[in-house]
Amino acid sequence: MFMILFIMRLYSAGNQKSVVFLMICLQAGEMSVYCNSGGKLCGVCEQAYSMAQNLDPSSDGRGVLQFKTGLMSVIKQKLAKRDGASIDRNRDFEHLLEFYQRYKRRHRVDDIQREEQKFRESGNFSTANLGEFELRSPEMKKVFATLRALVYVMEALSKDADPHGAGRHIMEELQRIKTVGELTSYNIVPLEAPSLSNAFGVFPEVRGAMSAIRYAEHYPRLPADFVISGERDVDMFDLLEYVFGFQNDNVRNQRENVVLAIANAQSRLGIPLQADPKIDEKAINEVFLKVLDNYIKWCKYLRKRLAWNSIEAINRDRKLFLVSLYYLIWGEAANVRFLPECICYIFHHMAKELDAILDHGEANRAASCITESGSVSFLEQIICPIYQTIAAEAERNNNGKAAHSAWRNYDDFNEYFWSPACFELSWPMKEHSSFLLKPKKSKRTGKSTFVEHRTFLHIYRSFHRLWIFLALMFQALAIIAFNHGDMSLDTFKEMLSVGPSFAIMNFIESCLDVLLMFGAYSTARGMAISRLVIRFFWCGLSSVFVTYLYVKVLEEKNQRNSDSFHFRIYILVLGVYAALRFFLALMLKFPACHALSDMSDQSFFQFFKWIYQERYYVGRGLFEKMSDYCRYVLYWLVIFACKFTFAYFLQASYHVLISHLLIMHMITIWGFALKQERLYTSEYHFLVIFNPVQIRPLVKPTNTIRALPSLPYSWHDLISKNNNNVLTIASLWAPVVAIYIMDIHIWYTILSAVVGGVMGARARLGEIRSIEMVHKRFESFPAAFVKNLVSPQAQRMLPNRHASQEAQDMNKAYAALFAPFWNEIIKSLREEDYISNREMDLLSIPSNTGSLRLVQWPLFLLSSKILLAVDLALDCKDTQADLWNRISKDEYMAYAVQECYYSVEKILHSLVDGEGRLWVERIFREINNSILEGSLVITLRLEKLPHVLSRFIALFGLLIQNETPVLANGAAKAVYAVYEAVTHDLLSSDLREQLDTWNILARARNERRLFSRIEWPKDPEIKEQVKRLQLLLTVKDSAANIPKNLEARRRLEFFSNSLFMVMPLAKPVSEMTPFSVFTPYYSETVLYSSSELRVENEDGISILFYLQKIFPDEWENFLERIGRAESTGDADLQESSGDSLELRFWASYRGQTLARTVRGMMYYRRALMLQSYLERRSLGVDDYSQTNFSTSQGFELSREARAQADLKFTYVVSCQIYGQQKQKKAVEAADISLLLQRNEALRVAFIHVEESDSSDGQVSHEFYSKLVKADIHGKDQDPVEGLNNFVVLFLLLSHDNYLEEAMKMRNLLEEFRANHGIRPPTILGVRENVFTGSVFIVSLVHVQSRNKLCNIGPTCVSISTQLVLMHRWVRMHYGHPDVFDRVFHITRGGISKASRVINISEDIFAGFNTTLRQGNITHHEYIQVGKGRDVGLNQIALFEGKVAGGNGEQVLSRDVIQAWATI
């Protein structure tokens, strides 16, 4: 047993890289001792050595080298005894199998399994039974994991075993053990083989959801030979698997997905408490409508009948079948997931097939999924043809080098299903349809309705309305200016020239539509081509007609003819056209009329609506409430009013000087030529002096330049003669025109700053921006925290507040609820080494659950307050009331004095008994009476207070230590010294004489019984008060210096400020919206290695040395946490493997590593466990959890709290090449395995590739998506694939998180159900705090440039984002720390688009997609995450290059066109 104990000790101590192999090698070691007695050890040791070598070839892991050395020594000894003879392996297998069976008998494995089966069948869940299984669960998990390790070892060794002997027994045992509940792979809920040792099985909503999908008698009968995986009942997923041929792993994934979706929907409606819980019909409808919302809208858009008649006509079972079918299709769709309407098309036909199958008594195979061999396979028959076509098109991309117009991307494929013509594809899909047509080398297959030509013409085409608006306004202002502001009829006729300009610019846009559509004419919809042709001819003819009319109007004007026929016709044409445009805009843009335009089915109206705006599936229904729309319009009217006022009156004034110098220079040249310099220069000086500060500074110089005589230029070929100096005038106006185009953003920024400042003040941003303000307002923190962040279920321990309820009692109750959360926050700061142990003691708040009626505040608020109060008492020459008034001016000084007084009374009362207790009671009774009478300054000699305090400090200094006989004797003497100081020094002479003559006390004193022994503090409350009072009397640090670390201060300041901001109230954990966190990872740094930390650069600076210098206080705190002295060197830390590992994590947590991100994201689970533990949720079986108990001690070990947190939270890191890293034995793979072991809720998703030789000699690849977690021994365990929650928080590798912010996640998720306009939110944005600003000066500048504008105090806010959200609920660039509605996005193409190069800025395209599909994006400032920015010049340059390239690709994309068309 020595080897197994050695290995388990390594595991429990946190073995690093190689800990993953311990599960397999564990029993090899124990079993080797057993086999040693029989002399059959060599084969097992060889296998264990081989596994260890494969998993950690360099022996970097803790204890690995010793383990390998021990195995090798045993192998050499056995081989030496054999003298070169062969080893009989069969005996090894027999001994292995024998040991395995004996191990099972010793731990009663079969008996325990039978007991659990009986409990499951009885359905009698009680607290005693659950507690018994909870205590047994950790031990049994280790036993089962050990058995599985043994089986895997035997399986690896069975290649040479007798297939009819030991080999057959091994394979049978392997199949049996895989059906054990604790060993069956699963993600969150063990559905394949449920076990009572797992708390999920006793949650009523989970049991109700499992019951809801259970197979009913009226379902079609499955064949008798259909095999059910695991130990579970048949359910509807088995029928879908049999009918359509879905893959088994996909079925397992979606079974858990649907169960969790139903359970979480039910939990929000109420927990079923009956013995056989049932799911509410409302929960089924909620899941059904949310999952199939896009399909319902798609059918409505195409005017197709749904797969069901009406929602009222289908029962709950059919709804669950349809939801399950959709999820199964999505789960096996591979890249087809990026085609949401293609998924709808597939679901539409398969749902009809399912409907027909459910009406039969026998389950029949679906005809669409039957393969040539007669089996059924959805993947092979439905997905593979589409996937192969997409893959063939992707190959034409030429690794991102080909033009976008040369190949079909995901949008092109998906838009095929935006037309009723898609049903020509038929079902099963025709192999030779245009949709499945594969591209040929020399011929394009053709785009859909948009071609991404790489040209600058897209800038005009995409934003033509803005260009037209700016051009027309500039033209109108210029006409007014050149007419000196005279609004006469002639000026009005000149202003009517905007009509031809408008028509011509529209015609240019229609020409670009025709030109840029090249490449899609052969495959685009006929209606789309028809619209282009109609608009081209309409715009062309209208521009010619309007221009002709306006020319006639000008001729009438020049002729001064009274007949204005053409003018009236022109006005009539413009009026009719403007009225029609206004009417269409009103119907399509105005919220109040939008619904009316959607309901109109008149062909005439639909035709003009179609001509005015292309009808896409996306971009429909983008309107908000009337109030939001009016505020939005008013906001832009103010911007345009400021812009055009400035452009007309003030814009050119700063350009006047340059223009004046230019004109004077030309006049001088011209004057020298004509010998008339004085005349013209003086005349021009007169013009400049009287030039008003309006747009005229450019009008008059322009007229002056035009009036100058022509000069003979040398370059007459380039500059033609008699052109009135047009190039000079163009040079004069060009900067003004450029500024005119750009200054709209300047005015937008200015107005954003003004309005954003008001919004920030209303949102209470930056109210608390210093640690001093935290101190001042700390008293109000508990009530604000309880109001916003504590659920009603946890608030039940508050006393019922009546009119006579004292405010102090309520404040203490609030503080009792606040204390566990605040202390966990402080504990997390200590674990992160931002504060020291002493600072943690000072920042922690007492539990406030003791007998003291007053609120006990953290010591950092009360530090040095007692000493200051003593100084005030010493200087007191007035009455007791005056002294108390001076003390009460500092409310925390008053709290300190009161707490010190009451704590001393309680501590002394607990220490002594008999006569000593009588003395304590008499002393405090006399003092209390003096306080009531106002004569305290007479009863006590205040000048003796310092002496008395010194006696108490000495006493408490002894009591905070562990009891020993010597300390007990010293404490008794210290109590007697306190008695002497109080009686003979502090009390007045009259009271002192009374006590000295008190017979009872005098007799005990004379007999030396008074305070001869004391009762050492054993009550936790008394011990806490002793320690606290000792610090209260001795700490002299100023509260302004606590905490010292700037990051700790910033976090506490923001958290404190956020408590007073508006946020939704928190729901209980059991009722909250579940969420998953998703972090993409490729090959970035996971964890700094020891060598990386110590390698020096060309300047002789290592990473560790640099971190020690920029974080000196955190380095000292780290050494204190691991129990090392401040003088400890790096080499000393390497001597201990545990300290070396902690050093690696300490450094990694201060860089942009995966380890830092994982630590931050796992705070969500920790916060949920704490919140769930304090809520004491009842499982519906009894009332054992309803006790009022507000301590967080042991919450991380609570079975129910852990299960509840796992039910609501999942964290997945998408390590794309983790499988390859494992095969290459890369250090990143070992570090990821270490993170899996240290974080049991962490999941890693990756693509597993298997190679196989095909019949033609080529190597074929099969790709499998895997989602793994670590088992009890840290080894990768394959559960299921997929995120199973309603919400996804998308975070990059450079993000961090904090425990105090994780506590507000429940509030943030409630925003999905808050009122944010017409539509519920689909993306929730949160603020970022950039933590790399202090690393490098270039990074600081980059960070400040990225933060668009700073609001009140240190709170930086993207004000433009806030303003857009306030009015239109649109935010295209959402950033990455945002929360997505998972169901909304996976049913609409995913979180981001995936077409190569064109969608390089994946974040903004998620915003485009959400907005165009009637989503709603909000932003919230009361919660934050950490964000690391680039810190080097090269990194910043690459990042800015990526952003610039992404912006260019956006202009080419169809999303911009579709979004602009609907604005």
Side-chain angles (χ1 to χ4, degrees), residues 168-358:
R168 180 175 59 85
H169 293 298
I170 292 173
M171 298 308 297
E172 291 177 354
E173 194 61 36
L174 180 63
Q175 294 299 325
R176 286 183 55 195
I177 200 170
K178 285 183 177 181
T179 63
V180 178
E182 285 76 3
L183 301 180
T184 302
S185 298
Y186 65 94
N187 183 18
I188 298 176
V189 181
L191 299 176
E192 294 293 325
S195 170
L196 281 181
S197 58
N198 192 312
F200 293 108
V202 296
F203 284 158
E205 64 270 29
V206 175
R207 289 191 287 128
M210 294 170 62
S211 176
I213 66 170
R214 195 167 297 152
Y215 214 78
E217 295 181 355
H218 60 273
Y219 294 166
R221 290 185 297 274
L222 291 169
D225 58 347
F226 184 77
V227 179
I228 306 299
S229 60
E231 297 180 353
R232 58 173 178 81
D233 298 328
V234 183
D235 56 36
M236 56 182 60
F237 282 90
D238 294 314
L239 175 64
L240 295 174
E241 178 183 1
Y242 172 78
V243 169
F244 296 106
F246 292 110
Q247 297 181 80
N248 181 260
D249 287 337
N250 179 36
V251 173
R252 293 176 58 201
N253 296 346
Q254 305 310 328
R255 177 183 290 112
E256 182 180 87
N257 189 10
V258 171
V259 166
L260 289 178
I262 299 172
N264 285 305
Q266 178 62 49
S267 67
R268 290 189 294 274
L269 297 175
I271 304 299
L273 300 179
Q274 58 267 34
D276 185 16
K278 300 295 183 182
I279 299 298
D280 198 311
E281 187 72 25
K282 293 181 180 179
I284 304 293
N285 287 337
E286 178 185 344
V287 175
F288 176 80
L289 293 176
K290 190 171 184 64
V291 173
L292 299 180
D293 179 60
N294 188 51
Y295 166 73
I296 296 172
K297 291 180 178 178
W298 177 75
C299 289
K300 181 180 178 181
Y301 172 78
L302 297 181
R303 294 183 172 87
K304 290 290 182 179
R305 183 180 176 183
L306 296 170
W308 57 90
N309 295 328
S310 65
I311 190 172
E312 294 81 9
I314 54 176
N315 57 29
R316 55 183 291 162
D317 293 335
R318 292 292 177 102
K319 293 174 184 177
L320 289 176
F321 265 115
L322 292 172
V323 170
S324 304
L325 176 62
Y326 187 94
Y327 273 127
L328 287 170
I329 293 173
W330 181 88
E332 209 160 320
N335 292 47
V336 183
R337 295 174 182 174
F338 296 115
L339 316 179
E341 281 65 63
C342 180
I343 297 290
C344 292
Y345 179 85
I346 296 173
F347 171 79
H348 180 77
H349 291 282
M350 293 182 67
K352 290 184 176 181
E353 287 185 296
L354 176 62
D355 186 65
I357 292 172
L358 291 176

Side-chain angles (χ1 to χ4, degrees), residues 1416-1435:
N1416 194 352
I1417 307 176
T1418 65
H1419 185 82
H1420 308 279
E1421 291 290 340
Y1422 56 79
I1423 187 172
Q1424 67 172 352
V1425 297
K1427 170 66 176 177
R1429 293 288 187 188
D1430 305 288
V1431 296
L1433 286 174
N1434 292 336
Q1435 293 175 318

Side-chain angles (χ1 to χ4, degrees), residues 835-846:
I835 59 176
S836 63
N837 291 339
R838 180 180 178 82
E839 288 178 322
M840 181 176 68
D841 292 336
L842 296 177
L843 287 168
S844 299
I845 185 172

Side-chain angles (χ1 to χ4, degrees), residues 1008-1035:
R1008 296 186 177 182
R1009 290 185 292 102
L1010 185 63
F1011 308 120
S1012 60
R1013 69 177 186 86
I1014 64 169
E1015 185 69 26
W1016 199 268
K1018 293 183 175 59
D1019 184 12
E1021 180 184 353
I1022 299 298
K1023 295 173 67 175
E1024 179 185 356
Q1025 288 184 352
V1026 170
K1027 180 181 178 181
R1028 177 177 171 81
L1029 201 53
Q1030 168 70 10
L1031 293 173
L1032 185 62
L1033 297 176
T1034 56
V1035 173

Side-chain angles (χ1 to χ4, degrees), residues 41 114 122 127 257 525 876 1026 1041 1186 1226 1296 1363 1372:
L41 176 68
R114 284 192 290 268
S122 65
T127 303
N257 189 10
R525 302 191 310 269
C876 178
V1026 170
N1041 298 325
Q1186 300 299 325
D1296 194 7
L1363 291 174
M1372 292 304 174

